[in-house]
Amino acid sequence: MEKMVQMQNLVKELDRYLPGHFLNEELRPGELTEVEYQHSMLSRNPAILAKTMFISISSERRDYVNRKPVKWTDGNVQIIGKENLLGLIVTETPIESARFTTPQFIVENSWAFMLGFSKLVRSHFHKPAIAITGSVGKTSTRMLLTHLLNERKVLENRGNHNTRFAIPLYMSKLLKEPDVLNLEVSLNALNGYDTGSMSKLIRPNIVIITSIGEAHLSSMKDTLTIALYKAKVLEGANEETTLILNADIGTKERDIILKKARKYTNRILTYSAKGQDADVRLKHVQHEKFYDVIEITFFGETLTYRLPTGSNGLIENSLAALMSYFQIYKEIGPALLKMESFQSLPKTMEMIPLYLPGNQEAFMIDDSHNAAVPSMLNAISYFKTHQQFYRGNKILIVGQIADLGEKGPEVHVKMMKDVLESDADYIFGYGDLFKDLFNHEKSANVQWFENLKELRLVLRDVLDEDSLVVIKGSVTGSDFHKLGGLLKEEYQKKTET
């Protein structure tokens, strides 16, 4: 309670701590428990609105953060009609219609204010703070850990909102005094622009690096460069910070991260799904149709748990989540029991039943949340290991991988080899980078499609009882990401002939 009062006092006396002034000295905020900067995220509950700080970001500030013009409505305009309902408005330009009704803190630069406020509330937060980064696996690892901590009050990202513009918002929400801060951090939030790595704001007690792979190659030279940038997540660390590192990362990339880590901490723990010499290691996986049984060596002790839709990537991420849980609570039993009930984001290895005519049922794994080379290989691996449990046709549908820059064609040539070796009954391709590769194949069961309508028509002919369909591709560069939703809508209701 004392810390909560302390946090609230910071808000009531903002002018003592940060540059700016209250528009009306007689209007100071009461208790505030929420912070937002987008109208669409404001609660519709008047009681919550009355306890919300709205930071009004101008188009100029938004363009600055993004380093290019973006579509953004000035914050003062966003809240027209709600300006009298909020607990506090932080703005560069006073809102005259709320001068006598709503506390307003006037600042010169709202982005600088949010950075300063984040730093201020972080200095009064004394509970676990976790920063997670990696080419793939950030979101799943974060969500797994939040699931394991479901009896605690966890502050985490919404969806995969993890960029430079996002991190200070979640840091500002420490005003709510959670039990754990659990943030995934993108490469965009770790570069040297503006204030540098956002890890300096987070000041993590635990850092997790899940992977270094072929993502962001449109803006990064190679995976070594990606490792250099991902290692910046350690710039907010100190000697008490624990690094939890995937030992299966490439040797050169891992050396880059370890060199950076040792500048800040000697508390380095590793995990491996390939049997390497690590603190936590995968021993055995027993595949089943709807879940996998995982056996691991956990700091010398053999443990077992079950994971739903257990792709290799999710298994790796579960090791990192368990290690983080153990670092916080020094026990592991409760976490093992919770693993089986984990559910990830929609379109992230999401299992969806497809109800076909004649009371038949097929199953779709929608993994079109996004795609990088490691996650594409992960989806193909899942397809290969789990197709044995399905009696019907096995169908792999791949969309192109975005954000590869000039290396796109070369990467897709390599990827096509894995696609063709998936043992699928039917392989469907989508996106320009796959077009020539698929059209070069002479098999009638390997087809590239110009549009989703044609793909869905052919899919209707090959779906049968107990089919397995796995969908994997990027959300940018085409409309491929709509496919899972369209199929879900088409086959969501049980039908009869």
Side-chain angles (χ1 to χ4, degrees):
M1 176 62 85
E2 179 183 346
K3 288 177 185 174
M4 194 68 179
V5 171
Q6 194 174 25
M7 286 284 197
Q8 295 306 315
N9 284 340
L10 295 179
V11 175
K12 292 175 183 177
E13 301 177 7
L14 274 177
D15 49 352
R16 284 185 54 192
Y17 302 100
L18 296 171
H21 65 277
F22 284 100
L23 180 63
N24 186 339
E25 277 291 335
E26 297 178 3
L27 282 178
R28 297 260 173 163
E31 180 186 1
L32 297 179
T33 57
E34 266 298 346
V35 182
E36 295 292 351
Y37 55 39
Q38 282 184 281
H39 171 268
S40 60
M41 295 300 173
L42 289 172
S43 172
R44 296 183 180 181
N45 185 330
I48 295 177
L49 277 178
K51 294 183 178 182
T52 298
M53 173 197 297
F54 184 82
I55 302 176
S56 178
I57 304 292
S58 66
S59 298
E60 177 187 358
R61 303 301 174 207
R62 185 66 184 92
D63 290 351
Y64 170 78
V65 177
N66 215 56
R67 292 195 278 184
K68 64 181 180 181
V70 296
K71 186 177 181 181
W72 182 261
T73 302
D74 184 278
N76 282 14
V77 176
Q78 288 189 42
I79 57 173
I80 290 176
K82 290 189 176 180
E83 65 269 36
N84 294 305
L85 303 176
L86 293 159
L88 174 65
I89 300 171
V90 177
T91 179
E92 298 174 18
T93 306
I95 300 176
E96 292 299 326
S97 60
R99 176 180 285 270
F100 302 108
T101 58
T102 306
Q104 296 183 55
F105 191 66
I106 312 304
V107 298
E108 183 177 339
N109 183 319
S110 53
W111 169 247
F113 168 85
M114 188 158 59
L115 292 172
F117 186 71
S118 297
K119 185 176 181 180
L120 179 65
V121 292
R122 177 65 181 94
S123 68
H124 291 270
F125 179 73
H126 305 291
K127 296 176 180 179
I130 302 160
I132 306 169
T133 197
S135 298
V136 295
K138 295 184 294 294
T139 302
S140 293
T141 302
R142 188 206 84 226
M143 292 185 66
L144 271 164
L145 185 51
T146 295
H147 176 69
L148 300 183
L149 299 169
N150 61 4
E151 296 174 358
R152 313 281 177 168
K153 184 180 178 183
V154 179
L155 172 59
E156 64 173 337
N157 315 67
R158 284 189 288 246
N160 63 336
H161 189 215
N162 56 23
T163 61
R164 170 166 295 276
F165 190 51
I167 300 303
L169 173 67
Y170 297 109
M171 295 301 298
S172 296
K173 290 174 179 285
L174 286 173
L175 192 64
K176 298 194 284 191
E177 194 69 18
D179 296 316
V180 179
L181 174 67
N182 183 23
L183 294 182
E184 60 174 279
V185 187
S186 70
L187 186 144
N188 170 271
L190 297 174
N191 62 42
Y193 179 63
D194 190 18
T195 56
S197 170
M198 285 292 166
S199 178
K200 296 175 182 177
L201 274 185
I202 301 171
R203 291 165 46 205
N205 308 108
I206 298 172
V207 170
I208 302 173
I209 300 181
T210 62
S211 60
I212 302 293
E214 292 173 309
H216 310 293
L217 289 181
S218 61
S219 56
M220 295 285 148
K221 180 182 177 182
D222 50 31
T223 56
L224 297 181
T225 307
I226 294 171
L228 285 168
Y229 273 84
K230 291 294 186 182
K232 289 178 179 289
V233 73
L234 290 152
E235 292 181 359
N238 58 57
E239 63 276 6
E240 298 298 318
T241 300
T242 298
L243 168 62
I244 297 174
L245 176 64
N246 187 346
D248 299 334
I249 289 171
T251 302
K252 291 181 179 179
E253 290 82 357
R254 188 168 70 245
D255 288 345
I256 288 171
I257 293 167
L258 290 174
K259 182 178 179 180
K260 182 81 167 185
R262 289 176 182 130
K263 292 181 179 180
Y264 302 95
T265 181
N266 291 317
R267 301 177 63 168
I268 299 171
L269 301 174
T270 57
Y271 63 97
S272 172
K274 296 181 179 179
Q276 296 190 22
D277 183 18
D279 298 290
V280 174
R281 302 188 303 278
L282 177 65
K283 288 186 65 177
H284 180 71
V285 179
Q286 179 182 325
H287 296 299
E288 301 291 348
K289 188 170 185 176
F290 298 119
Y291 64 86
D292 288 343
V293 180
I294 316 299
E295 184 179 354
I296 65 173
T297 298
F298 192 83
F299 298 101
E301 182 182 1
T302 298
L303 301 174
T304 303
Y305 56 97
R306 303 207 306 183
L307 266 179
T309 319
S311 68
N312 291 340
L314 187 62
I315 292 170
E316 284 191 7
N317 298 336
S318 73
L319 302 181
L322 287 171
M323 293 174 75
S324 301
Y325 183 95
F326 184 73
Q327 287 301 301
I328 296 171
Y329 297 114
K330 307 305 178 187
E331 63 174 343
I332 201 64
L336 295 174
L337 296 174
K338 293 178 181 179
M339 278 294 187
E340 188 177 355
S341 57
F342 171 71
Q343 291 184 328
S344 189
L345 285 172
K347 297 181 179 292
T348 302
M349 295 302 292
E350 180 185 11
M351 175 166 280
I352 301 167
L354 303 178
Y355 301 113
L356 311 178
N359 258 345
Q360 297 185 87
E361 186 176 34
F363 297 89
M364 173 175 67
I365 302 294
D366 187 352
D367 197 30
S368 60
H369 166 71
N370 215 337
V373 172
S375 63
M376 183 73 83
L377 293 174
N378 179 63
I380 295 172
S381 174
Y382 176 88
F383 182 86
K384 292 178 71 172
T385 57
H386 286 74
Q387 60 181 267
Q388 61 181 306
F389 302 112
Y390 296 83
R391 302 186 309 277
N393 286 324
K394 277 66 99 172
I395 306 157
L396 178 62
I397 307 177
V398 293
Q400 66 184 20
I401 308 171
D403 201 19
L404 293 174
E406 62 182 17
K407 295 189 177 182
E410 173 190 342
V411 169
H412 282 76
V413 168
K414 294 178 181 178
M415 186 58 59
M416 192 66 184
K417 182 176 183 293
D418 292 281
V419 170
L420 293 174
E421 292 177 353
S422 64
D423 299 324
D425 295 314
Y426 296 91
I427 302 173
F428 297 158
Y430 201 78
D432 292 341
L433 288 171
F434 270 131
K435 181 177 181 179
D436 291 343
L437 298 173
F438 268 79
N439 289 340
H440 179 73
E441 297 298 321
K442 302 306 180 183
S443 171
N445 293 351
V446 179
Q447 297 183 59
W448 181 85
F449 292 89
E450 184 79 36
N451 57 68
L452 294 182
K453 181 178 180 181
E454 293 177 2
L455 194 161
R456 290 167 63 197
L457 286 172
V458 173
L459 187 59
R460 288 175 189 170
D461 293 333
V462 299
L463 275 175
D464 60 2
E465 171 66 15
D466 207 32
S467 278
L468 170 66
V469 184
V470 171
I471 301 175
K472 182 63 181 178
S474 288
V475 299
T476 55
S478 76
D479 60 350
F480 181 78
H481 62 281
K482 297 180 181 179
L483 178 59
L486 291 171
L487 294 177
K488 188 175 180 180
E489 181 179 346
E490 182 174 357
Y491 298 102
Q492 66 181 342
K493 295 179 180 178
K494 291 186 177 181
T495 59
E496 295 184 10
T497 54

